[in-house]
Structure formats: C-alpha cells, structure tokens
Amino acid sequence: MAAMSAREQLIVALDVETADAGARLAESLRGRVGLFKVGSEVFTAEGPLLAKHLIASGYKVFLDLKFHDIPNTVRAAAREAAAMGASIFDVHAIGGRAMMQAAVEGAREGAARAGKPRPLVVGVTILTSLAAPDLGELGVEGGPEASVVRLAKLAQAAGLDGVVASAKEIASIRRACGPHFVVVTPGIRMPAAASNDQARVATPAAAIRAGANFLVVGRPITQAADPAAAAQAIVTEMERAQAGAAAKAQNP
Ligand code: C5P
C-alpha cells in the first residue's frame, strides 16, 4: 500500500442503532479520521441508508457485513457493495477459495458498473471471540494462530487484498503473506482504558508498530465525552509510533 497518514489509517466503527446517530457522530469527526465502519446492527435496522449517506457526504466507508454464502450470492452482494462506493468490505475467509474469488470479481464488476474505484476486499479469518476450545467444538484443530495464518494465506491466494486480524496475529500474517498484504486491526484501546468485551487488545502505537495498515476503533472514540478529542489522541499516538519506526529504520 502507498504510505498513508495516521489519520487515513484510522477507521471509526459506527456501532449505532440509527442512521441519524451514525451521521451525527461522523459529522463530529469530519476531517479527523480516515474511514467509518458501518456494521450489521445499523444495516439491519436501516438498510444501506447510513452507508449511502456517508458516501454521498464525502466520507469513506468500510462496509462490515462479513459476507459468507455460496459464491454466486457473495459475488452479487460484492457487486452492490462496490457500486454503492464502499472503500473496503469484508467476507468470511472460511467461505472458501471460490467464494473469495467471487467476492473480488463481484467487486470489480460493481466498481466498473458505477465508474468507481474497486474497494479493498478483506477476509475475516477466525473471529477473535473464538478460543481453542470453541474451535475444537467446530472441528477446527490446531488452535487459532495456525488457523488464522492458513486462512490468511488462502485469502491471499484467492486474490483478497488483506485480512482483519488482532494485533497479536499481525507478525505471523506478515511473515506468511508479505509486506503488501493489508491488515485491518480492531481491538484497540488506549493505555489504562477499559477493554470492554475485547479479549485481545493493543494500544494504537503497539498495533502500528506490529504492522497494521488500518486500525478499527469503536467505543474508545464513539463513547468518549469528546469523540473528536479522543480520535485526535489516538492519531497522535499512531504518529508517534510511525515516527519511532522511521527513526529505527534510519538508525537500526
Ligand atoms: O468498540 P470497539 O473498539 O471494541 O469496536 C471494535 C469494532 O470492530 C466493532 O465494530 C467490532 O464488531 C469490530 N470487530 C472486532 N473484532 C473482530 C472483527 C471486528 O472487534 N475480529
């Protein structure tokens, strides 16, 4: 990926009940963050209203609907996501190679139809909410780490641009998939903040140092008394980590 500023790398999860609430939050963060993530809660409640409103207002959108279906259905959904003008959308890698290839083809077709750039297509490998015993119950042996890397490699082979992964998983994904594979990392918390229900958390600086291309941050920004100030504090921490990494590259 071309070098991006910390601000461009920050995705804010608009986990809200109504399109109105999402639009208001986005407005309070205008110019301070890179993208807004629209997920299944508000999409189920209001359909594409919020995503379309944000795109029409000049914001970039990560459509987080984690498509997982037969290839033909995923291709059609991907076409619509791209035609809508999403900048990123995701699919479950566990849907398999043909389904992921269909997602990329659908994205290309939808973008061409609408005359828009093709969105990045990223795969969800193993949900971070699943631990080894949960995977065992599903018949997936070898623990989360091995499965994450296997699915990331499959996603790359199928033509996906990257994966969603916790900070802890970035290093092994980078080793397996190289420097150009996009890694989108949720589970971000400021030092000394509440982790909420996230189990595998990292600070913005740690996630940037580990090699994340995008950070997804929800509650630490959306539930802050001053969301704009919270976003700025995270961008500042990301910038510090980038500056540290650049200095280290010059003076190893
Ligand atoms: O509020 P918080 O910062 O925990 O929000 C994180 C966002 O990232 C939520 O929208 C959540 O659904 C999403 N996400 C995650 N872990 C994943 C994939 C997505 O937390 N593995």
Side-chain angles (χ1 to χ4, degrees), residues 154-173:
L154 181 62
Q156 189 174 38
L160 257 59
D161 300 291
V163 288
V164 179
S166 79
K168 192 172 157 270
E169 296 157 349
I170 300 173
S172 43
I173 291 171

Side-chain angles (χ1 to χ4, degrees), residues 18-226:
T18 65
D20 248 6
R24 262 184 277 119
L25 252 176
E27 201 51 48
S28 73
L29 293 166
R30 185 181 275 279
R32 293 175 187 274
V33 307
L35 295 92
F36 292 104
K37 184 168 84 66
V38 174
S40 47
E41 180 184 4
V42 74
F43 203 91
T44 304
E46 306 242 35
L49 197 63
L50 177 59
K52 286 186 171 175
H53 166 80
L54 293 172
I55 293 164
S57 309
Y59 298 112
K60 289 186 173 177
V61 166
F62 171 10
L63 194 62
D64 178 22
L65 297 177
K66 301 186 179 70
F67 298 136
H68 185 188
D69 210 314
I70 57 171
N72 193 52
T73 303
V74 168
R75 179 198 303 264
R79 220 182 268 141
E80 296 307 323
M84 180 195 289
S87 298
I88 307 180
F89 71 88
D90 54 3
V91 302
H92 273 289
I94 204 91
R97 185 192 295 265
M99 189 209 77
M100 289 192 275
Q101 286 170 337
V104 177
E105 284 161 18
R108 213 172 277 132
E109 291 161 8
R113 185 177 89 198
K116 293 178 174 160
R118 174 173 84 70
L120 294 178
V121 187
V122 297
V124 174
T125 56
I126 298 289
L127 291 170
T128 45
S129 51
L130 297 175
D134 305 302
L135 292 178
E137 235 174 24
L138 293 170
V140 180
E141 303 302 334
E145 184 97 341
S147 301
V148 165
V149 171
R150 195 179 60 249
L151 287 167
K153 282 162 80 173
L154 181 62
Q156 189 174 38
L160 257 59
D161 300 291
V163 288
V164 179
S166 79
K168 192 172 157 270
E169 296 157 349
I170 300 173
S172 43
I173 291 171
R174 281 261 165 266
R175 268 196 303 277
C177 300
H180 303 299
F181 200 52
V182 172
V183 180
V184 179
T185 299
I188 303 297
R189 292 294 177 269
M190 288 303 265
S195 65
N196 305 112
D197 56 352
Q198 293 281 15
R200 289 183 250 166
V201 299
T203 64
I208 290 293
R209 278 196 298 267
N213 299 98
F214 293 97
L215 307 192
V216 177
V217 185
R219 288 161 290 182
I221 292 175
T222 59
Q223 296 190 2
D226 182 347

